[in-house]
Amino acid sequence: MNRRRRSSKQETPKQKLRKNTTFRMNVLFFTIFLLFSSLVLRLGYLQIVKGEDYKRVIERTEEISVNTSVPRGRIYDRTGQILVGNEPKRAITYTKKQSTKTDEMLEVARGLAALIEKDPEDVTQRDKKDFWILLNKDEAYDRVSDKEKKAINSDETKSKTERQRELDSLVRDKITEADLEAMSPEEVEVLAIYREMTSGYNYSPQIIKSGDVTPEEYARVSERLHELPGVNTTTDWERVRNSELAILGQTTTPKEGLPGDDLQYYLARGYSRNDRVGKSFIEKQYESVLQGQKTIAKNITDKAGNVLETVPVQEGQPGKDLVLSIDSELQKKAEEVVSRHVLSIKNGRNSQMFDRIFFVMMDPNNGEILSMVGKQAIRNKETGKYEVYDRTFGTYQDAYEAGSTIKMATILAGYQHGGATVGQTMIDAPMHFRGTPPKRSLFNWYNSIPVNDITAITRSSNVYMWKIAIGIGGGSYVPNGPLSIDSQAIDRFRHSFASFGLGVETGIDLPDEAAGQHPSNPSSSNVLDFAIGQYDTYTTMQLAQYVSTIANGGYRVAPRVVKEIREPSPDGKKLGPIATELPAKYLNRVSNSDNQIERMKQGMYTVYYDRRGTAYSTFSDTEGYKAAGKTGTAERRYYEADRKDPWFGKPTVNVSHVGFAPYEDPEIAYAVLAPNVSSNTNSIPHPNNEIAREMTDFYFELKEQRIKSGEAGANIEGALKESEDGTVIREGEGE
């Protein structure tokens, strides 16, 4: 009986399974309840408590910088005369939003076309095809057959973008000339405006029309701005040069925008694609100073691209102004003098290879360039007459053999390397080397004449220089014997010359300076040619730096065209305060003693005032000042022309001149270089000497006039002056 009772109380397996299942289901339902409750509470918290915060975050999804350009800095000469400025112009701009649709832009373009005249000269054939497709999209793509579309889309080797690009190109090819000719002038004008509207980035103002906006157009557009979303009437500016001086440089126009070669460089520095930038000479070299600081504001937009708020980030400032070391009156006179001599020689006899002259005048004490001129004669194909063009960049980019003007450097190198001593006398007589014609000085063809270091400069003794070269090369002169010179002699010469600025970059603050040509592996005979300036080539700027180094007692100073950087003029009437005053840059002191340099200065003085001096006839009668200098003549062959030119390789002559004044306390140093002046080496004009005299006289006359009128020196705090010659060269002109 007991066994039966136990059996009846024991749970069956089925009962146990049901009980476990019930328990698990309860746990599961409870867990789901907890999770669901947590989710409801979380959603309620996010919606009720944090809803407004997240809504603002969603709406303020993007911050986009918007740059507004400012006027470039102006450029003045040393007396405060404006050489380059800005002229304000009425302008119409368009700013595209991220959410702007093509149809909306087209509507705005049509609205503008009804209010302004837009020249379609920049519209290309490609632009017309793309615009025709935009207006007739269905018809355009229907011209591509299904077979052609299938062939393009079936090419799995290309990405979707590449396939679409190929299809678009094919569609473009289907557009005919007849389709384009059917476009009305009104449609082409709309295209010209639409083209400008789409050329830039979102939120970046694009100039639709500038400079030639009439007052009527400006007023019509201003009255209807509410009907033209994104359009604005504003003031643009145009770069204007009041001087023809080429080294002022040029800027790109808004149409040109950033130069392709330097695109990434400028974009990385915050420029916009249609910004003006300097593309040559001073405008390029001082771009970072002249460009100024743009106005930068942030447009805060919602997710649809609508601007919610514009927040100023950086206030714009005009570019800083440059004050050049160049004296406009001196420069104008130099240009007139050099141009006159260029035309005189070119229109004269034996001028087949001649076409240019260069002149530089600088302060030898601080390197400030007072005047730099390069003029070139080019025949006008219509009139057949020669006209003069600016080639000022040639003063530091074009290099030629300078001849005897470098003989002071030869003697000073001789002092350094044991080829000569101060006051040493040598016999100037024809030198005879085995297998070569006799070598002579021009003033002495047959005699034996004793000359020392000073008279060697006075009379321009070639023989004195050759004997120095032989001495530097460790050789000795044996009449009718071989010429034997150590190959290291040319290196010693060049190292010494470089300390004066010959054969190396001068350090001028302009781009792309040339160092000249220095042929390798010279022969012994070439070393002799080097010693008289008929082997290596030098620029006019190098000659000016070299003579400045002698004039100031042995300090090589870098020439510069920018004197100081100033803040923008506060009132347009007076120069702004100095931002940066550029100090003189001394590059090195030559290895010669004061006594050795003084000997060369004495020799240069006698060139002008000793009856045997090579420039005595030109400079002996100077009034009010004493100067010192050296003339030069270099025989060479003409290789500047094409090989087909009948004068290619023919003998010709370069003439040069270097000097400084006043002799006792130099204020100016000058250099003239006139290459290829004659095809007849027995009949040589000397514009080098005449230009040097004319410009030295003018400098002291101008100085005297300014002292009498109380205007001596730079006009640092005085009123600004407009250009006196009426020259106006606008943006994009004169290229």
Side-chain angles (χ1 to χ4, degrees):
M1 178 176 256
N2 291 334
R3 189 180 297 116
R4 286 179 182 174
R5 284 178 184 168
R6 284 195 298 270
S7 300
S8 62
K9 290 181 179 179
Q10 190 175 13
E11 292 181 343
T12 65
K14 189 174 182 179
Q15 289 174 328
K16 290 181 178 181
L17 178 61
R18 185 181 296 113
K19 187 176 180 180
N20 288 335
T21 301
T22 301
F23 176 75
R24 290 176 180 177
M25 290 295 292
N26 289 336
V27 172
L28 177 62
F29 284 137
F30 183 70
T31 302
I32 292 173
F33 172 76
L34 292 176
L35 292 173
F36 184 75
S37 298
S38 299
L39 180 61
V40 171
L41 290 173
R42 181 62 179 169
L43 289 174
Y45 171 78
L46 293 176
Q47 184 174 359
I48 297 171
V49 180
K50 292 289 186 178
E52 289 300 319
D53 292 339
Y54 284 116
K55 182 178 180 181
R56 284 193 294 269
V57 169
I58 291 173
E59 289 179 342
R60 298 162 70 97
T61 56
E62 191 168 13
E63 295 184 354
I64 302 172
S65 295
V66 179
N67 294 344
T68 303
S69 63
V70 293
R72 284 177 76 83
R74 294 189 285 185
I75 302 176
Y76 306 97
D77 83 335
R78 68 187 295 112
T79 67
Q81 181 170 306
I82 298 175
L83 302 179
V84 183
N86 305 303
E87 189 171 296
K89 297 290 183 181
R90 290 179 290 270
I92 298 170
T93 65
Y94 175 77
T95 304
K96 181 176 62 172
K97 298 180 181 179
Q98 185 176 352
S99 60
T100 304
K101 298 178 181 178
T102 300
D103 290 344
E104 295 172 341
M105 293 177 66
L106 271 175
E107 189 65 26
V108 171
R110 292 189 180 103
L112 275 177
L115 301 174
I116 66 173
E117 291 185 7
K118 176 66 176 176
D119 193 337
E121 64 175 351
D122 294 326
V123 173
T124 65
Q125 199 78 346
R126 167 71 178 268
D127 292 332
K128 289 183 178 180
K129 287 187 176 183
D130 288 342
F131 195 65
W132 193 93
I133 294 171
L134 180 64
L135 299 178
N136 307 276
K137 187 172 182 178
D138 292 338
E139 180 183 347
Y141 280 86
D142 285 344
R143 294 185 181 186
V144 180
S145 67
D146 292 338
K147 182 179 180 181
E148 290 172 319
K149 292 177 182 178
K150 184 176 180 180
I152 293 173
N153 292 326
S154 62
D155 189 351
E156 298 295 336
T157 63
K158 298 178 180 178
S159 66
K160 184 177 180 181
T161 301
E162 290 174 331
R163 292 197 295 270
Q164 183 61 47
R165 190 180 297 118
E166 186 176 347
L167 176 60
D168 293 340
S169 178
L170 185 58
V171 171
R172 200 175 290 113
D173 292 339
K174 300 289 184 179
I175 309 304
T176 66
E177 288 293 329
D179 294 326
L180 301 182
E181 290 175 0
M183 293 176 64
S184 67
E186 291 77 15
E187 287 179 314
V188 175
E189 187 176 30
V190 171
L191 163 58
I193 295 173
Y194 178 79
R195 178 180 181 273
E196 301 294 345
M197 294 168 65
T198 59
S199 62
Y201 295 114
N202 294 335
Y203 303 103
S204 179
Q206 299 300 309
I207 294 176
I208 305 302
K209 188 175 182 180
S210 174
D212 56 348
V213 178
T214 66
E216 293 76 18
E217 289 176 328
Y218 194 83
R220 286 196 296 265
V221 174
S222 298
E223 291 171 356
R224 293 171 175 78
L225 291 179
H226 63 285
E227 302 172 5
L228 303 167
V231 174
N232 191 23
T233 50
T234 184
T235 300
D236 189 24
W237 51 271
E238 183 178 44
R239 201 66 165 160
V240 176
R241 283 188 291 150
N242 296 322
S243 169
E244 295 181 350
L245 182 61
I247 62 161
L248 293 172
Q250 294 178 334
T251 61
T252 60
T253 64
K255 290 182 180 179
E256 293 174 301
L258 302 180
D261 294 343
D262 299 318
L263 180 62
Q264 296 306 317
Y265 170 85
Y266 285 115
L267 290 178
R269 284 157 177 77
Y271 285 76
S272 300
R273 287 179 179 267
N274 63 340
D275 276 345
R276 298 171 176 84
V277 296
K279 62 180 181 180
S280 60
F281 306 117
I282 293 174
E283 291 274 18
K284 180 178 181 180
Q285 185 78 8
Y286 287 90
E287 167 63 28
S288 61
V289 175
L290 293 167
Q291 179 66 17
Q293 178 179 290
K294 290 185 175 184
T295 299
I296 299 181
K298 283 188 177 180
N299 283 341
I300 302 178
T301 66
D302 61 19
K303 59 183 178 180
N306 299 311
V307 177
L308 301 175
E309 185 181 3
T310 299
V311 180
V313 175
Q314 176 178 281
E315 193 67 30
Q317 294 181 0
K320 290 183 172 60
D321 297 336
L322 299 181
V323 177
L324 304 188
S325 60
I326 290 175
D327 186 313
S328 289
E329 287 189 71
L330 196 67
Q331 177 72 18
K332 183 178 179 181
K333 178 65 175 181
E335 290 182 348
E336 181 271 316
V337 170
V338 173
S339 296
R340 171 163 40 84
H341 281 279
V342 167
L343 285 179
S344 175
I345 296 175
K346 191 60 185 176
N347 289 320
R349 301 177 61 184
N350 308 317
S351 62
Q352 297 89 341
M353 294 173 269
F354 169 82
D355 70 347
R356 65 195 67 173
I357 296 177
F358 304 105
F359 168 78
V360 173
M361 180 179 285
M362 62 187 284
D363 185 330
N365 303 298
N366 57 25
E368 291 181 2
I369 295 175
L370 304 176
S371 174
M372 55 187 297
V373 176
K375 294 296 181 180
Q376 181 176 13
I378 299 176
R379 187 187 294 275
N380 185 314
K381 294 181 179 179
E382 295 182 0
T383 65
K385 296 182 179 180
Y386 285 103
E387 298 177 355
V388 176
Y389 290 83
D390 193 287
R391 195 180 175 84
T392 303
F393 60 87
T395 56
Y396 65 95
Q397 290 184 353
D398 295 351
Y400 303 92
E401 297 89 343
S404 298
T405 48
I406 59 87
K407 285 180 177 176
M408 291 80 72
T410 298
I411 295 178
L412 289 165
Y415 293 156
Q416 293 177 14
H417 298 289
T421 58
V422 173
Q424 181 178 357
T425 297
M426 301 183 191
I427 300 301
D428 186 298
M431 301 182 75
H432 299 269
F433 297 101
R434 183 183 301 167
T436 63
K439 300 178 75 67
R440 302 180 173 91
S441 297
L442 292 178
F443 74 92
N444 178 28
W445 278 64
Y446 305 107
N447 300 317
S448 295
I449 302 175
V451 295
N452 62 17
D453 46 2
I454 291 180
T455 52
I457 297 300
T458 309
R459 307 190 70 178
S460 200
S461 171
N462 289 339
V463 172
Y464 200 93
M465 308 304 147
W466 291 328
K467 290 185 176 181
I468 288 176
I470 293 171
I472 289 178
S476 59
Y477 171 59
V478 178
N480 298 311
L483 174 60
S484 178
I485 297 178
D486 180 2
S487 60
Q488 299 293 321
I490 195 78
D491 296 327
R492 298 185 189 109
F493 261 132
R494 284 174 174 163
H495 182 268
S496 178
F497 274 42
S499 69
F500 288 90
L502 294 171
V504 293
E505 293 183 1
T506 64
I508 189 173
D509 54 341
L510 290 170
D512 307 319
E513 182 181 8
Q517 297 178 346
H518 318 108
S520 58
N521 302 317
S523 66
S524 297
S525 179
N526 293 145
V527 177
L528 298 188
D529 293 336
F530 180 96
I532 60 171
Q534 299 194 151
Y535 190 60
D536 281 8
T537 65
Y538 311 109
T539 66
T540 314
M541 191 62 64
Q542 289 174 349
L543 294 176
Q545 185 182 58
Y546 148 67
V547 73
S548 293
T549 305
I550 295 174
N552 68 30
Y555 295 91
R556 184 164 78 100
V557 58
R560 56 195 173 100
V561 295
V562 174
K563 180 180 177 68
E564 58 197 23
I565 300 171
R566 288 184 171 256
E567 298 293 346
S569 172
D571 56 7
K573 297 180 180 179
K574 289 188 176 182
L575 291 166
I578 294 177
T580 305
E581 189 168 8
L582 302 178
K585 185 177 181 181
Y586 295 97
L587 303 176
N588 60 266
R589 171 58 162 88
V590 298
S591 300
N592 296 96
S593 67
D594 292 343
N595 183 43
Q596 291 171 345
I597 294 173
E598 187 60 33
R599 291 288 291 185
M600 292 300 94
K601 294 171 73 171
Q602 291 173 17
M604 295 173 69
Y605 182 87
T606 59
V607 168
Y608 283 1
Y609 301 107
D610 187 302
R611 289 184 177 277
R612 298 171 299 177
T614 56
Y616 175 80
S617 62
T618 308
F619 273 88
S620 61
D621 59 347
T622 57
E623 296 182 4
Y625 70 92
K626 292 294 183 180
K630 182 73 184 77
T631 62
T633 303
E635 295 183 3
R636 66 186 298 264
R637 291 189 178 273
Y638 179 66
Y639 294 114
E640 284 80 21
D642 186 272
R643 286 183 174 274
K644 296 180 181 179
D645 190 297
W647 294 99
F648 183 84
K650 299 292 185 181
T652 182
V653 174
N654 300 340
V655 294
S656 59
H657 191 116
V658 297
F660 62 88
Y663 175 73
E664 295 295 341
D665 187 15
E667 298 176 18
I668 56 171
Y670 43 90
V672 186
L673 185 55
N676 311 314
V677 292
S678 179
S679 57
N680 182 352
T681 56
N682 294 316
S683 178
I684 305 171
H686 289 283
N688 52 330
N689 302 336
E690 296 169 18
I691 291 172
R693 174 62 192 271
E694 285 188 72
M695 290 310 303
T696 308
D697 281 351
F698 183 79
Y699 171 84
F700 288 105
E701 290 169 5
L702 182 62
K703 179 182 177 181
E704 184 66 22
Q705 290 174 8
R706 288 175 174 173
I707 290 174
K708 289 180 179 179
S709 62
E711 296 181 1
N715 184 25
I716 299 302
E717 302 298 338
L720 303 179
K721 300 184 295 183
E722 294 293 339
S723 174
E724 298 175 354
D725 60 7
T727 300
V728 176
I729 304 174
R730 300 193 180 281
E731 201 170 67
E733 296 178 351
E735 299 185 30

